[in-house]
Amino acid sequence: MDHLDAIDPPGLRGADHRILTALHARARDPRIAGAARALSWTGEHGALWLAAGLAGAAADGGRRGAWLRGTALTAGAHLVSMAVKRVVRRPRPAHVEPLVRTAGRHSFPSSHAASATAAAVAFGALGAPAIAPLAAAMCLSRLVVGVHYPSDVAAGAALGALTVRLGARWMDTGGIHG
């Protein structure tokens, strides 16, 4: 029993490996590999989602504050995921060749998935439903490029959704007691 068994039990490990291997194989299609690399690059440090939130704030002056608070929650989800990575320290998948470089060595949870899902929830609540399919593609791209296990992506997505859910009242009203 190694030190990762508590978060990576053998049954999950096998499923994680099989699913990752199958999705990573999709990168044999150069169009899929290119799209996954582009999503990976634009999602680095939540950049795509922060830009989307700032664009929403600029375009929707009546709800500028809500857009900015949703953007802050998205950034917060990213930061929390990075902190969790430092505690958990799960290594990135070693059984597939990654298609992109990563900013760090740790895999759990996926920060790309955390910020993407946070943006989908926050900006979707503000009437931007097109963010959700893009966020889903971002999450899948982490598997196609081979830098996360499915459980990393699922945990990151859950963390992103939870972050926005916990901050929903603040996002809507601008204050705790609104």
Side-chain angles (χ1 to χ4, degrees):
M1 183 171 199
D2 68 31
H3 73 287
L4 295 176
D5 284 342
I7 63 162
D8 197 14
L12 178 60
R13 184 178 306 139
D16 256 359
H17 280 246
R18 287 189 304 278
I19 294 167
L20 172 59
T21 300
L23 289 170
H24 183 63
R26 301 295 300 154
R28 290 185 197 121
D29 182 327
R31 294 168 299 182
I32 293 173
R37 281 188 186 108
L39 283 167
S40 184
W41 182 76
T42 60
E44 198 64 43
H45 304 295
L48 174 63
W49 314 114
L50 299 178
L54 295 175
D60 187 359
R63 295 185 297 167
R64 180 169 286 126
W67 278 98
L68 292 174
R69 289 185 294 276
T71 303
L73 289 169
T74 299
H78 182 79
L79 292 172
V80 170
S81 72
M82 290 176 24
V84 172
K85 277 185 193 209
R86 289 176 188 244
V87 172
V88 174
R89 304 177 65 82
R90 181 186 199 189
R92 293 199 183 266
H95 72 286
V96 296
E97 184 68 31
L99 301 181
V100 296
R101 288 184 162 181
T102 59
R105 298 185 323 251
H106 302 117
S107 185
F108 184 92
S110 167
S111 296
H112 278 70
S115 59
T117 304
V121 173
F123 305 154
L126 293 169
I131 298 292
L134 186 56
M138 178 71 71
C139 290
L140 282 173
S141 78
R142 305 310 286 161
L143 304 171
V144 172
V145 298
V147 296
H148 283 290
Y149 293 104
S151 58
D152 301 334
V153 173
L159 178 64
L162 178 63
T163 300
V164 175
R165 179 66 190 118
L166 291 174
R169 189 169 184 193
W170 174 68
M171 190 179 121
D172 291 339
T173 65
I176 301 299
H177 304 290

